Amino acid sequence: MADRPTEAPREGATVLPDPGSEPHDSSRTHVTGRSEYVDDRPLMRGELVCGLVYSPYARARLVKLDLTAACAVPGVACAITAADVARNAWGSIFVEQPILVEQEAQHAGEVVAVLAAESREALAKALRRVHAEWEELPAIRTIDEAIAAASFIGVERTIARGDATAALAAAPHRLSGTLVIEAADHFYLESHAAVAYPRADGPIEVHSSTQHPTETQHVVADALGLPFHEVVCIARRLGGGFGGKETQAAPIAALAALVAKRTGRPARLVLSKDDDMIVTGKRNPFQIRYEVGFDGAGMLLALDAQLHSDGGAYADLSTAIMERALLHCDNAYFVPNVRVRGQVCRTNHHPHTAFRGFGGPKGVALIESIIEDVARTVGCDALDVRRRNVYRPGHDVTHFGQKIEDNCLPALFESLESRCEYRARREAIRSSNAAGTGPLRGLSMTAVKFGIAFTTRFLNQANALVNVHRDGTVQVSTGAVEMGQGVNTRIAAIVAERFGIAIDAVRVMTTSTEKNANTSPTAASAGTDLNGAAAAKACEAITRRLGHLANHLRGLPADRWPSRTAGLGTAPEFVVPEGPPPSPVRFERGAVIVEADGGDAFEIPLPRLLGEAYLSRISICDYGHFATPNLGFDKEKGQGRAFLYFSQGVAASEVEIDRRTGEVKVRRVDLLMDLGRPVNHALDMGQVTGGFVQGMGWVTTEHLFYDDHGLLVSHSPSTYKIPSVQDTPRIFNTDLVFNERNTANIRGTKASGEPPLLLSLSVWTAIRDAVMSERERLRGELELVPIAIPATAERILRAIERETFAAIEAR
């Protein structure tokens, strides 16, 4: 998809490629196996490998920890415990979580000690010789137990509009229910990893698989008792993150750094997949009780919902996740009277954390499930109910008071309904299911309206350093972390466009707190939005100066240019004035062009102009800082402009269920998204399809199991089922709408990282559609069947054969 007119290139000019066709900047090194991740860094002389000792119980008192035998193993260099930590507390919102347990573990997998050895063999032997005695204590394992014990994190939050109580009382129809959404693991391919290097003069350099280098830098510094400037955190690339490395990478890096500081030797801590899954938090489980009021046509009149989430043992980001869940309870639909309340529960699970979509999927799951039930209750197709309630002119203000600008939702529904032949397929599925022969099928179309921005205002900022070299090449440093999503490629494209050069003339440098300090995490789908805008601001400062110089050179004889006079000092030096250049300047195809009034334009190759700028002592480097404008969400009132804009989309999913086993196959998915004017169409398509498939795993197969002591037992691919190529939709039609109306964001683009994952809920609602159709066939009457997320084969079979399973369990 080209976003500029095509034209014949000038003689000798650099031909710029279509911005939608550029490959991921690491694609070649990925496929050739040369991409370097943290654990690919070559071992240095004297480097130590580290391993963790952690609690096997959800809650337990550490009676005795004897590391004597472990430390006696040849090759073991040291053991680190809580006594070695200068500041044994960290946390992104509430500083309450220890780096290492002192006396009482609050979740299974909580680390009590780190061992460091010269070889993996010595480390494994030492870990087996650790002697730890625990007194298991009563633990809170469920949301209901936390509610009964009033075990909470933070305060209850409320977002409201109108009078939900009165509107419910007056509504012609009402439904109530409970939606259960369980946890899911991030399952990034690269586990948490960090290597810490002690430098000769005191500082510590940490290479970490982190989405938030600044927070990692600060947590490491605090744990070591160092000022921030004595720690540098570097993140070259991540082998996946999905939110799981936004906060929880920091203590892993701190543990490696503690060993490095103690021994004066490099220290490497790379978790196995088993340890990673046991130790780290997941997507927050939710339990939502709700009541909805509606009329005979399925128009929503009121919604009252109480959301409880399992935050785990410590706060992490759970209160912010709950806030976003509350903000997305409307999703794509206008509800005139709303009261949604949210409370995070403190349990004895690993502290749950950010996950692609943050809390948004929970709120969207709620309203999409409700619409399915409303439609069946009033005897309408669920798509009709969605289209009647979708945000539209006159009904385009959210329950938190933000007007939806550039609303594409009605058009997206209309377009996809036609594209996917929804009506004909719906009728065919209805007839097939009624016959009761062959596989059971379901069809559902859901939407997403995902707000883009951090709801904590100060996080919406970024900085960038742009260094232009005299040969016309550019180095860019930002706080964005490349974790597979292509943020480096997008930023390079933005910078290349500003200077009118080929994208391969731009190098995005490794992310480091040494060059970009006080950065926000690469999260909230805002990596390109923030860091790309900061880089663009730095480019604008440089191009303004170059534009002035080009205007100046246009009026000078060639023998008076700095390249002819600077060495001799025979001409006055040019001082760049304030404001824009007197004549418009274009940067394109490797040249700088000054437009002329009625005459020939002045053109100079960019490298030539850069050389003249250097000789004129004009800076061709700059630092840009960007703060997202027009945000104003009052967290106490639950009202205001929480987001810069909304990424929007719709998806129709058709599923097939084996009546005997409950196995689900996704027959077809049709997906349509508005992402504005993509910086890179191919990368956005990758994000859309990848996010959807990841979400499919969350809503169908990814089920976590814990033993009686609270220790995760499904901690590997053999026991935790992520989607494989065999699970992808048999037919997968994906397209983007080219939308010129989005002026809120840089280049008119919209974020693609998180929003498509929420469209995978169409698979879950299609499963419910199929199950409820089968129940109606078997019983001859309407039955609204709740199914928890994930809708595993067992849960589906139990929902279809409720009486059979009840009889078996009653024996």
Side-chain angles (χ1 to χ4, degrees), residues 66-133:
D66 188 350
L67 302 173
T68 306
C71 290
V73 172
V76 172
C78 74
I80 299 292
T81 65
D84 300 297
V85 185
R87 187 188 185 199
N88 196 19
W90 72 281
S92 297
I93 299 175
F94 304 110
V95 180
E96 60 168 9
Q97 185 171 348
I99 302 290
L100 289 167
V101 172
E102 296 185 42
Q103 294 181 324
E104 187 175 304
Q106 297 299 319
H107 67 89
E110 189 164 14
V111 182
V112 297
V114 182
L115 298 183
E118 294 173 349
S119 69
R120 298 188 185 279
E121 293 74 18
L123 177 63
K125 187 175 182 179
L127 288 170
R128 291 193 296 269
R129 294 193 177 186
V130 171
H131 178 71
E133 295 179 11

Side-chain angles (χ1 to χ4, degrees), residues 465-478:
L465 175 64
V466 175
N467 292 327
V468 182
H469 298 280
R470 284 179 278 167
D471 64 352
T473 60
V474 184
Q475 291 176 327
V476 185
S477 300
T478 76

Side-chain angles (χ1 to χ4, degrees), residues 41-321:
R41 296 186 62 78
L43 287 169
M44 294 186 68
R45 180 178 296 177
E47 186 169 310
L48 301 171
V49 291
C50 305
L52 305 180
V53 180
Y54 50 75
S55 168
Y57 303 111
R59 180 168 172 252
R61 186 172 66 85
L62 183 58
V63 177
K64 183 178 182 180
L65 179 63
D66 188 350
L67 302 173
T68 306
C71 290
V73 172
V76 172
C78 74
I80 299 292
T81 65
D84 300 297
V85 185
R87 187 188 185 199
N88 196 19
W90 72 281
S92 297
I93 299 175
F94 304 110
V95 180
E96 60 168 9
Q97 185 171 348
I99 302 290
L100 289 167
V101 172
E102 296 185 42
Q103 294 181 324
E104 187 175 304
Q106 297 299 319
H107 67 89
E110 189 164 14
V111 182
V112 297
V114 182
L115 298 183
E118 294 173 349
S119 69
R120 298 188 185 279
E121 293 74 18
L123 177 63
K125 187 175 182 179
L127 288 170
R128 291 193 296 269
R129 294 193 177 186
V130 171
H131 178 71
E133 295 179 11
W134 298 92
E135 177 189 355
E136 190 170 5
L137 301 173
I140 295 174
R141 299 275 303 281
T142 68
I143 288 175
D144 285 336
E145 289 172 356
I147 295 170
S151 178
F152 300 128
I153 298 172
V155 299
E156 182 180 80
R157 296 283 302 280
T158 300
I159 297 177
R161 172 173 60 193
D163 189 335
T165 301
L168 281 168
H173 303 280
R174 285 189 288 178
L175 290 174
S176 61
T178 300
L179 173 60
V180 175
I181 304 174
E182 294 189 357
D185 189 77
H186 303 82
F187 216 93
Y188 28 71
L189 294 183
E190 178 200 26
S191 295
H192 277 284
V195 183
Y197 301 101
R199 296 310 183 194
D201 52 348
I204 296 285
E205 180 182 297
V206 176
H207 291 252
S208 173
S209 184
T210 176
Q211 294 176 234
H212 198 348
T214 289
E215 181 173 52
T216 299
Q217 172 200 20
H218 294 176
V219 171
V220 168
D222 284 344
L224 272 56
L226 297 174
F228 293 162
H229 77 295
E230 294 292 336
V231 176
V232 174
C233 179
I234 297 170
R236 173 66 186 93
R237 62 166 58 87
L238 277 58
F242 312 117
K245 298 175 181 177
E246 182 174 343
T247 58
Q248 300 199 358
I252 301 298
L255 295 175
L258 284 163
V259 171
K261 186 170 185 289
R262 162 78 81 83
T263 62
R265 298 165 67 174
R268 181 178 304 235
L269 175 56
V270 179
L271 301 190
S272 67
K273 176 54 67 178
D274 302 270
D275 282 350
D276 188 286
M277 292 185 72
I278 289 170
V279 169
T280 62
K282 317 302 176 190
R283 186 187 290 280
N284 295 71
F286 268 62
Q287 183 171 285
I288 307 173
R289 294 185 173 90
Y290 63 89
E291 187 171 12
V292 61
F294 51 99
D295 67 15
M299 292 295 294
L300 302 178
L301 303 174
L303 172 64
D304 190 3
Q306 173 74 65
L307 288 71
H308 284 98
S309 72
D310 182 342
Y314 305 105
D316 201 277
L317 295 171
S318 290
T319 53
I321 291 164

Side-chain angles (χ1 to χ4, degrees), residues 764-801:
W764 175 65
T765 52
I767 291 170
R768 289 197 67 223
D769 174 64
V771 169
M772 288 191 285
S773 295
E774 181 69 356
R775 292 295 297 174
E776 288 179 30
R777 185 186 72 83
L778 294 173
R779 301 185 69 228
E781 61 182 7
L782 170 69
E783 182 178 357
L784 303 179
V785 183
I787 302 178
I789 293 176
T792 61
E794 179 182 344
R795 283 176 169 160
I796 292 169
L797 196 58
R798 284 178 174 273
I800 293 173
E801 301 286 351

Side-chain angles (χ1 to χ4, degrees), residues 522-573:
T522 303
S525 301
T528 299
D529 289 14
L530 293 173
N531 295 279
K537 288 192 73 171
C539 293
E540 288 163 10
I542 298 167
T543 56
R544 185 191 69 83
R545 294 194 291 268
L546 292 175
H548 274 291
L549 179 60
N551 268 268
H552 174 67
L553 295 178
R554 179 179 62 168
L556 281 182
D559 61 359
R560 301 292 291 166
W561 282 21
S563 55
R564 299 285 186 88
T565 62
L568 300 174
T570 57
E573 192 164 44

